[in-house]
């Protein structure tokens, strides 16, 4: 499987992190912890500050599944927001429709959630929405629509994922959710340094 033309396995190995959520990439990193194209016992050289910033940027970008152009727009918006730029960036990414669908538990990964959105299976306030990058605001209602098989798979995913985060409230049938508040930066649980991402774009 590829993302933006690159094999996902190579992306995970290059980043040293499973940004896709699929357990098979955890197993891949256990077998091949070194980056692609490197010998298993090759001595790694110290990265430059730029290389470290680039790595953190790629981690965050691939975690949410955005291309460079779209991701840059999120950063540019965060740079003009009041308060911490890093916090503003994380909140904006968490507030995207695809991420809200994933956080609702309806898909096993953010990439799978993006597919649900793109294929028109998600309603926002009763209207079909097909843009993964769309922001969902407090008070918005989300609903998953589709075949019975899709509903069954979504409920099975919910069982595996457990409760939704505090900023989302799932309905009784599991296939509806309401945005009760803005997500907090900590809700992103990004295993990296978002400040280095900001520094990369502020050069």
């Amino acid at each position: 499987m590829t993302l933006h033309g690159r094999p996902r396995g190579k992306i995970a190995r290059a980043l040293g992190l499973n940004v896709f959520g699929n357990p098979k990439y955890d197993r891949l990193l256990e077998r091949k912890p070194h980056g692609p194209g490197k010998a298993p016992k090759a001595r790694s050289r110290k990265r430059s500050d730029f290389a470290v910033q680039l790595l953190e940027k790629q981690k965050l970008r691939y975690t949410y599944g955005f291309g460079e152009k779209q991701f840059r727009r999120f950063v540019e918006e965060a740079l003009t927001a009041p308060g911490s730029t890093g916090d503003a960036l994380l909140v904006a990414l968490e507030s995207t429709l695809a991420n809200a669908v994933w956080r609702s538990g309806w898909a096993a990964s953010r990439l799978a959630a993006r597919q649900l959105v793109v294929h028109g299976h998600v309603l926002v306030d009763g209207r079909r929405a097909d843009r993964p990058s769309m922001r969902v605001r407090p008070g918005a209602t989300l609903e998953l629509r589709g075949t019975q098989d899709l509903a069954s798979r979504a409920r099975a995913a919910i069982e595996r994922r457990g409760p939704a985060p505090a900023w989302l409230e799932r309905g009784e049938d599991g296939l509806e959710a309401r945005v009760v508040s803005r997500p907090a930066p900590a809700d992103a649980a990004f295993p990296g340094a978002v400040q280095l991402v900001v520094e990369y774009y502020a050069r």
Side-chain angles (χ1 to χ4, degrees):
M1 297 291 286
T2 63
L3 178 66
H4 307 307
R6 292 190 64 193
R8 294 181 196 172
K10 286 191 175 182
I11 292 173
R13 289 176 60 201
L15 300 178
L17 179 70
N18 178 7
V19 293
F20 304 115
N22 190 319
K24 75 177 184 180
Y25 298 114
D26 288 323
R27 295 191 291 270
L28 174 64
L29 288 170
E30 288 176 5
R31 294 197 321 271
K32 298 180 177 181
H34 49 282
K38 295 181 179 178
K41 295 184 179 180
R43 182 179 299 176
S44 58
R45 290 182 292 181
K46 183 179 179 181
R47 290 190 174 99
S48 66
D49 290 344
F50 173 79
V52 173
Q53 292 168 355
L54 175 61
L55 180 66
E56 294 302 297
K57 184 266 289 190
Q58 295 293 66
K59 284 180 184 178
L60 187 58
R61 182 168 77 83
Y62 281 120
T63 291
Y64 286 90
F66 288 111
E68 176 60 34
K69 187 175 180 179
Q70 202 166 30
F71 185 76
R72 180 181 287 272
R73 285 201 291 268
F74 279 97
V75 177
E76 290 172 349
E77 179 184 313
L79 285 168
T80 63
S84 166
T85 299
D87 286 353
L89 176 58
L90 292 176
V91 169
L93 292 168
E94 275 293 296
S95 299
T96 57
L97 178 56
N99 184 72
V101 168
W102 179 66
R103 293 293 191 191
S104 296
W106 300 337
S109 67
R110 286 186 177 93
L111 289 176
R114 287 175 66 88
Q115 291 300 306
L116 289 177
V117 173
V118 168
H119 292 155
H121 293 302
V122 179
L123 305 184
V124 178
D125 294 332
R127 296 184 178 182
R128 181 172 293 176
D130 59 6
R131 288 191 302 112
S133 62
M134 173 184 173
R135 297 317 155 75
V136 292
R137 311 292 181 186
T141 58
L142 312 179
E143 183 180 354
L144 186 66
R145 285 285 184 89
T147 63
Q148 190 60 45
D149 179 59
L150 179 65
S152 297
R153 284 188 277 120
R155 289 192 175 99
I158 289 171
E159 287 293 320
R160 291 191 296 270
R161 289 282 300 282
W167 60 278
L168 280 172
E169 186 179 78
R170 266 200 304 258
E172 288 187 10
D173 73 344
L175 302 184
E176 292 183 6
R178 186 169 70 90
V179 182
V180 296
S181 65
R182 291 180 68 197
D187 289 319
F190 173 54
V194 70
Q195 182 56 34
L196 293 179
V197 180
V198 175
E199 290 173 7
Y200 174 87
Y201 285 99
R203 287 176 295 114

